[in-house]
Amino acid sequence: RSPGQGIVMNETPGDSRMELSREDITRLKVDAIVNAANPSLLGGGGVDGAIHRAAGPGLLAECRLLNGCPTGEARLTSGHRLAARRIIHTVGPVWRGGRQGEAELLASCYRQCFRLHQEAGLASIAFPALSTGAYGYPREAAASIAIEQATLALRDYPGLVRVIFVCFNEPTWLAYHDRLTGAATR
Ligand code: APR
């Protein structure tokens, strides 16, 4: 297995084209990695900070030209110094208790990332656990949305061949693993 290869879940129900990884997303050699950004697109902490550090100053220069990104939408940039060819920046919802449309906004993030990814003619994509860090979205509910949207995208986009979910900590890994193996109750 090449470094960065997750554990393929094809021994379990669900789509074998979905994988889990514990790698730092900035190290993955895939067509595109997704950044959990904020509406300014000018960098931040968490995975946003890691991606900007690894991609170098050229990424911020490119992002300045994009004039921000509303929650639930996505923007495409070059990968700059990353192994990944492109970066798709998306702005997840801040969790406010679940009654402010957070679930639909998070689902929209995934849908918009897949749309831009396929419009760019790319085949593989890696996502961090959007909104589950600083934005406080409960991991289990967020993992269900991620897997549901990836399942639909794999059905609808023939060019999409590999979806990697990067689980950067144990609770996130368990949330995704339980849902991908069908062990979790819905
Ligand atoms: N690779 C993969 N995943 C990572 C990495 C990394 N290098 N660093 C952090 N993560 C994980 C976190 O552990 C968490 O599971 O990414 C997930 C998302 O957490 P955040 O990065 O905090 O993103 P989010 O919750 O969407 O909050 C976005 O935080 O960094 C700021 O500018 C960003 O304002 C925005 C907000």
Side-chain angles (χ1 to χ4, degrees), residues 92-176:
V94 175
W95 178 254
R96 302 187 196 285
R99 305 165 64 85
Q100 315 264 331
E102 295 96 320
E104 184 40 45
L105 282 166
L106 185 59
S108 171
C109 285
Y110 284 97
R111 278 198 300 274
Q112 293 304 316
C113 288
F114 284 121
R115 180 180 61 77
L116 287 182
H117 181 262
Q118 288 303 290
E119 283 173 3
L122 303 173
S124 58
I125 187 168
F127 287 92
L130 298 175
S131 279
T132 66
Y135 281 2
Y137 207 112
R139 291 186 183 92
E140 297 74 11
S144 295
I145 289 170
I147 291 165
E148 183 179 18
Q149 290 304 319
T151 302
L152 293 172
L154 284 162
R155 181 197 68 188
D156 295 346
Y157 291 117
L160 181 62
V161 298
R162 190 170 170 223
V163 180
I164 298 174
F165 293 117
V166 178
C167 303
F168 209 55
N169 54 57
E170 187 66 15
T172 301
W173 168 270
L174 291 171
Y176 277 82

Side-chain angles (χ1 to χ4, degrees), residues 1-11 16 18-23 28-30 126 162-167 173 177 180:
R1 283 179 176 286
S2 65
Q5 276 274 336
I7 295 176
V8 180
M9 311 299 290
N10 57 7
E11 69 280 8
S16 66
M18 279 190 260
E19 296 175 36
L20 299 184
S21 169
R22 302 184 103 118
E23 282 284 324
L28 294 184
K29 190 166 174 38
V30 288
R162 190 170 170 223
V163 180
I164 298 174
F165 293 117
V166 178
C167 303
W173 168 270
H177 182 271
L180 275 181

